[in-house]
């Protein structure tokens, strides 16, 4: 399925994502939202601003990844990403969900983060991640683990 | 049955759009009760990303306390502030606030949270909440809630 993505209308998807991320900043108070993964073979840091009031959406985000897992696809998997990779998000109430997509080394990288606040009003959102990289030859690299997110 | 007909009508509409790659599907949501009327349409890729694009539709808040310019609005891509369309979940946040010099602040925020029952192929059932911030000093925001149906395929 991921291999077929290359034929998709990525310009449409990217444009939609950019439009969503370029929404005007309002007078709502902002805070910081971030997620980090630090385990053997994978380090990731995602960070952005989000509005306390209004929509609670994350904006002005960026991320960096260092994938050294020996089973990773060929190529350089240590790089930075700008906010355009944030394709989906749901940060509301106790939920902190983020979907990051990046075309890299002829492959499609999808990182899904599902975190949930366990204590009311806490700024910590522990959760899990799933990283899938689908090279054009159809083989898949995937790994899962734990992620620590915070918003406050 | 009505849901199925509405869904295939939605797909037919998308099929008429020019330049749409074949690996896309349509997601639509509808509300029509005493508080809200919503006709939401979008496209998504069948990839593992699933993000929505080509947003269109109409959102109407029937409560007269809603600022006039926000009572009935044609939806644009920038109105979709948050989305989560994964597995059996559809979560959407549509939001618009007033803009412009001298225009008083008012806003409308619609949140949809629906899930697809196991026996359903296309249909999602869920709830919505519409939060309206009226114009005026001391005017308090109010929220109305109800049911929403969505279809994707």
């Amino acid at each position: 399925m991921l291999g077929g993505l290359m034929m998709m209308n990525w310009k449409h998807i990217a444009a939609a994502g950019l439009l969503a991320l370029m929404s005007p900043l309002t007078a709502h108070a902002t805070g910081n939202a971030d997620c980090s993964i630090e385990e053997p073979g994978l380090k990731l840091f995602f960070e952005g601003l989000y509005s306390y009031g209004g929509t609670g959406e994350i904006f002005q985000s960026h991320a960096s990844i260092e994938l050294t897992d020996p089973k990773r696809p060929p190529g350089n998997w240590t790089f930075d990403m700008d906010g355009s990779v944030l394709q989906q998000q749901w940060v509301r109430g106790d939920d902190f969900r983020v979907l990051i997509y990046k075309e890299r080394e002829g492959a499609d990288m999808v990182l899904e983060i599902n975190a949930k606040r366990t204590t009311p009003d806490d700024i910590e959102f522990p959760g899990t991640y799933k990283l899938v990289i689908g090279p054009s030859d159809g083989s898949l690299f995937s790994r899962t683990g734990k992620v620590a997110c915070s918003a406050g | 049955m009505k849901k199925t007909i509405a869904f295939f009508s939605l797909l037919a509409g998308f099929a008429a759009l020019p330049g749409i790659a074949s690996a896309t599907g349509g997601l639509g949501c509808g509300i029509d009760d005493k508080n809200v009327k919503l006709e939401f349409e979008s496209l998504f890729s069948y990839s593992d990303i699933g993000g929505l694009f080509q947003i269109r539709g109409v959102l109407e808040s029937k409560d007269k306390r809603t600022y006039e310019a926000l009572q009935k609005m044609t939806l644009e891509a920038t109105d979709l502030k948050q989305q989560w369309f994964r597995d059996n979940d559809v979560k959407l946040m549509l939001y618009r606030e007033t803009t412009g010099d001298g225009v008083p602040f008012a806003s409308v925020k619609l949140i949809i949270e629906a899930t697809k029952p196991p026996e359903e192929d296309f249909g999602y059932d869920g709830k919505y909440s519409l939060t309206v911030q009226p114009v005026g000093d001391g005017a308090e925001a109010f929220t109305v809630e109800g049911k929403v149906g969505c279809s994707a395929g």
Side-chain angles (χ1 to χ4, degrees):
Chain A
M1 178 177 284
L2 282 171
L5 287 179
M6 305 307 291
M7 299 175 63
M8 260 298 303
N9 231 323
W10 285 119
K11 289 179 181 176
H12 289 152
I13 299 173
L18 281 173
L19 282 172
L21 292 168
M22 287 170 57
S23 55
L25 304 185
T26 64
H28 303 296
T30 58
N32 193 64
D34 62 69
C35 294
S36 61
I37 301 167
E38 188 150 350
E39 55 189 32
L42 176 63
K43 291 180 182 176
L44 178 124
F45 185 67
F46 168 82
E47 184 179 38
L49 298 176
Y50 83 105
S51 62
Y52 282 109
T55 61
E57 66 185 313
I58 297 174
F59 56 95
Q60 293 186 7
S61 64
H62 59 95
S64 60
I65 188 169
E66 187 178 332
L67 178 63
T68 55
D69 188 316
K71 295 179 181 176
R72 71 189 184 281
N76 177 13
W77 290 95
T78 297
F79 55 94
D80 297 326
M81 295 169 273
D82 61 24
S84 64
V85 300
L86 181 58
Q87 293 291 323
Q88 293 197 51
Q89 60 169 295
W90 191 255
V91 183
R92 180 170 180 269
D94 294 331
D95 287 331
F96 192 127
R97 304 183 187 185
V98 170
L99 186 79
I100 289 172
Y101 168 79
K102 175 73 174 174
E103 279 186 67
R104 179 82 180 178
E105 303 285 3
D108 301 306
M109 186 193 85
V110 179
L111 174 70
E112 180 176 345
I113 290 173
N114 276 290
K116 204 171 189 68
R117 178 161 46 199
T118 55
T119 305
D121 299 326
D122 195 356
I123 65 168
E124 304 296 329
F125 293 70
T128 59
Y129 78 86
K130 181 178 182 182
L131 174 66
V132 177
I133 301 175
S136 54
D137 64 5
S139 62
L140 286 177
F141 166 84
S142 69
R143 61 180 286 162
T144 58
K146 294 184 177 179
V147 62
C149 298
S150 69
Chain B
M1 186 63 182
K2 284 172 64 179
K3 189 182 292 183
T4 304
I5 292 172
F7 172 69
F8 284 108
S9 298
L10 174 67
L11 285 188
F14 284 136
L17 290 172
I20 302 303
S22 59
T24 58
L27 170 69
C29 295
I31 304 167
D32 192 3
D33 61 21
K34 64 179 181 180
N35 297 312
V36 177
K37 184 169 185 179
L38 172 72
E39 295 170 357
F40 174 87
E41 298 175 356
S42 63
L43 296 180
F44 65 91
S45 78
Y46 275 108
S47 69
D48 197 29
I49 305 170
L52 304 179
F53 57 100
Q54 292 198 4
I55 312 299
R56 66 182 190 182
V58 176
L59 172 60
E60 180 180 357
S61 171
K62 298 179 181 178
D63 192 299
K64 298 304 179 190
R65 289 174 291 175
T66 308
Y67 186 63
E68 187 175 356
L70 300 176
Q71 283 183 4
K72 186 174 184 178
M73 54 195 203
T74 300
L75 295 173
E76 301 171 359
T78 52
D79 295 322
L80 182 62
K81 302 300 185 186
Q82 292 202 55
Q83 58 171 295
W84 193 257
F85 181 42
R86 304 282 291 167
D87 303 321
N88 294 322
D89 289 334
V90 171
K91 297 174 184 287
L92 305 174
M93 179 187 291
L94 299 166
Y95 176 86
R96 189 182 293 183
E97 62 186 32
T98 50
T99 57
D101 292 340
V103 179
F105 179 79
S107 64
V108 170
K109 178 167 67 177
L110 178 71
I111 293 173
I112 289 172
E113 295 191 74
T115 56
K116 185 169 66 175
E119 69 276 11
E120 278 283 345
D121 290 328
F122 307 113
Y124 294 71
D125 296 323
K127 296 179 179 178
Y128 78 82
S129 67
L130 177 75
T131 300
V132 175
Q133 174 62 61
V135 163
D137 291 338
E140 292 198 4
F142 62 91
T143 299
V144 294
E145 298 176 332
K147 294 183 178 179
V148 61
C150 300
S151 294

